[in-house]
Amino acid sequence: MGESHVFVTRGSLTNFACDAWLLPTDRTYSIAAYWRNTVPGLEDAVQKSKDPGFAGGAVLAQPVHAWPANDPLPVLTAVPYYGISSVNELIPPLREFICVAADSAKRRRHVAGREPSRPVPLLAMPLFGTGGGGAGLVKGDVIRLLLEETRMAAAEAGVDVVLVLANEKDFALAQELRKRQPQWWAPLDREHQEQAARLAAHARDGRLVPFMGAGVSMSAGAPSWTDLLSALATAAHLSDSERESLKHRGHLDQASILRSMYEERAGQDSPTFNQAIAKLVELKRYGLAPALLASLGSREAITLNYDELFEAASDDAGVPRSVIPDGAGEHDDWLLKLHGSVTDPDSIVLTRDDYLGFSTSRNALSALVKATLMTQHLLFVGFGLTDDHFHEILHDVKQALPKESRTGEGSATALMLSTDPLDPRMWSNQLKLVPMSQESRKEFNASSGRTLEIFLDLLVALSTDSHSYLLAEGYEGALTESERSLRETLLDLGKRLTDAEAQSSGGVRLREMLAELGASAPSSWS
């Protein structure tokens, strides 16, 4: 089998950044209303893509024709919605989808003629085949089959695939099935797997807080700090000598110089410096990294990014967040946007002057970061070794820690794309560095970025501690023998509860536990 990986995340396919995705249909090109209503232009494109081979059953998957080059490509896949007699009927369309989508994705990359953001094409698919025709009654069997067959087919096609799930029970079972097979994360060495297990223990205790940098959004096509500054410089029409001089300065100083140029050249129709930044970083679709971090289950999160990708991913993962400072109090879970947002360009922090003024204008936000640091374990993701913002934040972290706590593992971990032999000396005891590659690089490396995605995928799987599928209908086929026995015992216990017992304090707690495991309560309990 070739190099590939199958990811599992919560989210929505219509908001996911990928090369191609599975659009369920049948031989009559019947598309569910959800897809037609949420994907602009889809219905017309499908009508123009009709093919006799597909309608006749000789072809099980075909790409939608004339789809915009920069948008994920829908691949029509003939799924037997009705009359399914065996989950094995899903194997031929699944395999054909991966083969056709992989070929289309590679061809589109070649035509685009630009360096892709990840080295391996990424295909996305929903949990399909569980509609009104019977497979919905055996969801556990469908999930197990999709995982097994997708892994083999993806390896043969040389692509990555992400199974994007909306239902929490489906997600919990998929993660449980993968945890039973360590070979799923074979691309990660033992050290990476041990570090993921260490961080997952913090996550299960409710103590892991993601702290996100620009690299988290790059999987969706967002620019790195270097690329952002380069794009701003291009828009400012710098001369060759000015651009060359700019390269030799730190990011914060580059931003300060560019801002002054924007201010000098400001016109009635010209965007301000901050408006130009907002336009460059605003994206419609989130990639793997935001989706996986949103699926991690952390109640709190912090970011230096200006975009709204993590917020969108959190909404789609079923954990909407209050955005601090603008939307505080809307939801129990929150995201602190430490350096501003595209929703308010004036709030964006990028230059050295912005940063120096940060402590005076946002003391309350800084205090929240320090309080989080004292009680939780921060997970820095998406920062580069040469990122000025990263080092400024780490300096604040170091100063915030009481001296007596500056021993051992520390209260923070940084997932780095590359390594530097001197960094451990600088941050020992305060920060655990986990490089994705042993190469020393100053710029983004696509291969290391993919390793980071696989690392986060393992972290999410190990952090998932829900068994909400155990007592739910339709998941029995994927349970182990001991789980089936436990299921029967618990369901029998629930049936034996009298109304009086169910209403007692202990009975209420027992009902809550059974509900958490997926049981449907008798109407007499309500």
Side-chain angles (χ1 to χ4, degrees):
M1 292 197 301
E3 179 71 14
S4 68
H5 186 75
V6 177
F7 298 84
V8 172
T9 186
R10 294 193 69 185
S12 170
L13 269 183
T14 58
N15 296 324
F16 208 92
C18 59
D19 289 279
W21 57 282
L22 185 152
L23 175 58
T25 184
D26 56 22
R27 293 176 186 174
T28 67
Y29 290 91
S30 174
I31 307 293
Y34 170 78
W35 304 112
R36 296 198 309 269
N37 296 336
T38 55
V39 183
L42 180 62
E43 193 158 17
D44 287 344
V46 169
Q47 292 301 317
K48 296 174 182 176
S49 301
K50 289 188 175 181
D51 180 89
F54 191 89
V59 174
L60 297 177
Q62 68 162 98
V64 170
H65 298 331
W67 197 250
N70 293 325
D71 289 347
L73 176 69
V75 176
L76 294 156
T77 304
V79 178
Y81 278 107
Y82 302 104
I84 185 172
S85 58
S86 167
V87 292
N88 288 333
E89 292 178 32
L90 296 174
I91 296 177
L94 168 65
R95 285 189 160 271
E96 193 157 335
F97 158 71
I98 291 177
C99 181
V100 170
D103 182 63
S104 297
K106 291 172 184 176
R107 191 165 56 249
R108 291 178 104 213
R109 284 181 167 213
H110 178 73
V111 170
R114 62 176 184 272
E115 190 69 23
S117 59
R118 65 191 319 275
V120 179
L122 178 66
L123 314 182
M125 63 185 194
L127 178 61
F128 63 94
T130 57
L137 301 178
V138 286
K139 267 192 170 185
D141 291 323
V142 172
I143 292 171
R144 181 173 58 186
L145 177 138
L146 289 183
L147 289 172
E148 293 172 353
E149 293 296 326
T150 299
R151 186 163 179 264
M152 290 188 288
E156 292 168 4
V159 295
D160 289 340
V161 180
V162 55
L163 181 60
V164 183
L165 302 172
N167 183 284
E168 193 274 336
K169 294 181 179 65
D170 298 341
F171 177 75
L173 177 60
Q175 300 295 22
E176 179 64 27
L177 292 173
R178 295 200 303 160
K179 282 188 283 188
R180 296 174 188 170
Q181 303 180 57
Q183 65 268 28
W184 272 84
W185 292 275
L188 300 178
D189 60 29
R190 179 178 294 181
E191 173 66 16
H192 282 137
Q193 295 191 34
E194 290 175 353
Q195 292 300 329
R198 174 180 66 85
L199 292 167
H202 288 307
R204 291 193 301 272
D205 290 341
R207 295 186 58 246
L208 192 66
V209 178
F211 197 133
M212 294 167 282
V216 169
S217 298
M218 288 172 65
S219 60
S224 65
W225 288 118
T226 300
D227 291 338
L228 174 61
L229 291 167
S230 177
L232 290 167
T234 298
H237 306 294
L238 269 66
S239 67
D240 291 343
S241 60
E242 287 174 330
R243 290 179 69 95
E244 186 62 31
S245 177
L246 196 68
K247 291 179 183 178
H248 299 292
R249 301 173 187 270
H251 288 164
L252 296 178
D253 290 329
Q254 286 187 46
S256 296
I257 292 169
L258 287 169
R259 168 172 280 169
S260 69
M261 291 182 170
Y262 270 78
E263 290 172 349
E264 288 174 7
R265 302 172 189 182
Q268 204 167 24
D269 298 326
S270 301
T272 66
F273 180 65
N274 284 30
Q275 288 170 343
I277 295 170
K279 185 177 181 180
L280 287 168
V281 302
E282 194 166 14
L283 297 169
K284 295 186 296 183
R285 298 180 180 86
Y286 51 81
L288 268 173
L292 291 168
L293 289 168
S295 302
L296 192 55
S298 300
R299 301 297 304 273
E300 306 96 11
I302 306 171
T303 185
L304 298 190
N305 296 337
Y306 318 129
D307 59 64
E308 296 183 281
L309 298 181
F310 183 75
E311 296 97 297
S314 294
D315 285 344
D316 289 344
V319 283
R321 296 178 181 270
S322 295
V323 178
I324 302 173
D326 296 333
E330 294 177 3
H331 305 285
D332 292 336
D333 299 339
W334 52 261
L335 169 67
L336 171 59
K337 301 195 80 166
L338 205 55
H339 281 181
S341 175
V342 293
T343 58
D344 178 14
D346 290 341
S347 69
I348 289 175
V349 174
L350 181 60
T351 69
R352 188 172 297 282
D353 285 345
D354 291 337
Y355 198 90
L356 291 175
F358 177 84
S359 59
T360 57
S361 63
R362 303 191 184 187
N363 279 332
L365 302 186
S366 296
L368 184 55
V369 173
K370 292 176 182 178
T372 302
L373 180 68
M374 299 299 180
T375 57
Q376 309 287 67
H377 190 93
L378 288 182
L379 177 64
F380 289 97
V381 189
F383 293 92
L385 293 171
T386 60
D387 189 331
D388 285 331
H389 289 272
F390 179 54
H391 285 280
E392 295 281 2
I393 289 293
L394 288 187
H395 175 75
D396 289 349
V397 167
K398 188 174 182 180
Q399 294 304 309
L401 283 171
K403 291 182 180 179
E404 58 270 20
S405 73
R406 300 181 188 179
T407 58
E409 176 192 295
S411 55
T413 297
L415 306 181
M416 311 301 295
L417 293 182
S418 56
T419 187
D420 187 307
L422 296 181
D423 273 0
R425 291 181 177 273
M426 184 174 182
W427 300 111
S428 63
N429 297 332
Q430 286 91 44
L431 181 69
K432 174 69 177 178
L433 297 176
V434 182
M436 296 297 108
S437 168
Q438 292 306 310
E439 295 183 44
S440 182
R441 293 178 179 267
K442 294 186 179 298
E443 298 299 335
F444 175 75
N445 175 261
S447 178
S448 296
R450 180 173 175 271
T451 301
L452 173 61
E453 292 171 344
I454 298 173
F455 183 96
L456 291 175
D457 185 50
L458 174 58
L459 173 58
V460 171
L462 296 178
S463 301
T464 303
D465 201 25
S466 169
H467 294 82
S468 55
Y469 56 85
L470 183 64
L471 305 184
E473 293 296 323
Y475 296 89
E476 304 93 306
L479 302 181
T480 63
E481 185 176 340
S482 59
E483 284 177 327
R484 290 194 191 98
S485 175
L486 176 61
R487 170 189 166 86
E488 293 305 316
T489 299
L490 292 175
L491 288 175
D492 184 60
L493 176 61
K495 292 175 184 176
R496 289 173 179 270
L497 276 181
T498 66
D499 290 347
E501 290 170 339
Q503 300 303 326
S504 68
S505 59
V508 169
R509 182 67 191 95
L510 178 58
R511 287 162 48 196
E512 291 173 349
M513 181 197 73
L514 294 175
E516 288 174 2
L517 295 175
S520 298
S523 58
S524 60
W525 287 2
S526 56

